[in-house]
């Protein structure tokens, strides 16, 4: 069972064996808020559907990326970002308990307020390199996105830091978004 671990994630911009679908590139490359992009696309139909907000062990590649080692619990937030009630992005954010202080304290009570409002709001935030990977049902991440109601095609992830405290955000773009963006041939 291959996971999108270190050997799958590629820094954005490094050629991948599977090309990123042309219509998805602006989304994969978006340095700012995906929430804002989705709001522009979906208008009033934009909504955050919360799947889970709870303590979790997280996945090995997440702990590795957060450099959390095997210590302590992580706070997990899973959502579907929807347009007209259709899931378009599955997003999974994990944060070490030690980061849930200061502005990130609000992460435990975000509910249907998009995380982007916290990360692209008034607090100084540093975003680490964006990594990308093709995902399908062969990977745990792809299966989780599918179990939540979407058809996974590509993922990106990056570590945000507020006051030096890390938060790993992984976003899985669903084929439903590709169909929304173009002529429906989601393979291109
Ligand atoms: C980081 C952002 O927040 C978005 C919203 C999320 C949420 O509400 O949990 C998670 C990931 C993002 O797609 C963003 O807008 O770019």
């Amino acid at each position: 069972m291959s996971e999108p671990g270190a050997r799958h994630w590629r820094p954005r911009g490094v050629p991948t064996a599977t090309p990123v679908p042309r219509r998805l590139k602006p989304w994969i490359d978006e340095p700012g808020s995906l929430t804002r992009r989705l709001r522009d696309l979906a208008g009033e139909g934009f909504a955050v559907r919360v799947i889970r907000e709870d303590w979790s062990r997280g996945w090995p590649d997440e702990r590795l990326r957060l450099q959390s080692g095997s210590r302590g619990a992580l706070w997990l937030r899973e959502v579907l970002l929807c347009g007209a009630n259709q899931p378009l992005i599955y997003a999974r954010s994990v944060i070490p308990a030690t980061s849930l202080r200061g502005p990130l304290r609000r992460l435990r009570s975000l509910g249907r307020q998009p995380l982007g409002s916290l990360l692209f709001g008034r607090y100084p935030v540093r975003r680490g390199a964006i990594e990308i990977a093709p995902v399908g049902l062969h990977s745990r991440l792809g299966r989780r996105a599918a179990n939540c109601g979407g058809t996974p095609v590509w993922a990106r992830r990056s570590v945000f830091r507020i006051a030096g405290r890390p938060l790993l955000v992984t976003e899985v773009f669903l084929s439903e978004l590709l169909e929304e963006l173009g002529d429906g041939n989601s393979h291109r």
Side-chain angles (χ1 to χ4, degrees), residues 111-150:
R112 291 190 302 173
Q113 184 192 356
L115 173 63
S117 60
L118 192 59
L119 296 179
F120 296 92
R122 61 177 185 272
Y123 304 108
V125 178
R126 278 189 48 232
R127 179 176 208 161
I130 293 178
E131 299 171 290
I132 65 173
V135 285
L137 300 182
H138 63 284
S139 71
R140 176 190 282 148
L141 178 61
R143 280 196 306 282
R144 182 61 188 148
N147 291 344
C148 290

Side-chain angles (χ1 to χ4, degrees), residues 149-166:
T151 311
V153 284
W154 273 86
R156 74 175 196 166
R157 71 179 187 179
S158 54
V159 175
F160 290 85
R161 288 179 186 279
I162 292 188
R165 298 185 184 110

Side-chain angles (χ1 to χ4, degrees), residues 66 93-95 104 107 115 119 158-160 165-169:
L66 278 169
S93 305
V94 285
I95 180 169
L104 284 175
L107 196 73
L115 173 63
L119 296 179
S158 54
V159 175
F160 290 85
R165 298 185 184 110
L167 157 68
L168 173 63
V169 178

Side-chain angles (χ1 to χ4, degrees), residues 34 54 64 75-76 82 96 137 150 153 184:
L34 276 189
D54 199 355
L64 190 65
W75 182 256
L76 167 65
C82 302
L137 300 182
V153 284

Side-chain angles (χ1 to χ4, degrees), residues 30-98:
E30 173 58 60
S33 169
L34 276 189
T35 300
R36 184 192 51 73
R37 278 194 89 99
L38 273 177
R39 283 191 193 281
D40 291 349
L41 177 73
E44 291 300 310
F46 173 77
V48 176
R49 190 183 304 169
V50 179
I51 304 291
R52 184 180 174 201
E53 290 182 304
D54 199 355
W55 293 106
S56 163
R57 288 287 303 149
W59 295 339
D61 72 310
E62 293 174 329
R63 302 188 78 86
L64 190 65
R65 191 74 185 80
L66 278 169
Q67 296 166 345
S68 284
S70 57
R71 295 187 314 279
L74 300 173
W75 182 256
L76 167 65
R77 170 179 167 87
E78 291 180 293
V79 301
L80 288 171
L81 302 184
C82 302
N85 217 22
Q86 169 83 25
L88 302 175
I89 290 175
Y90 161 77
R92 179 183 169 86
S93 305
V94 285
I95 180 169
T98 49

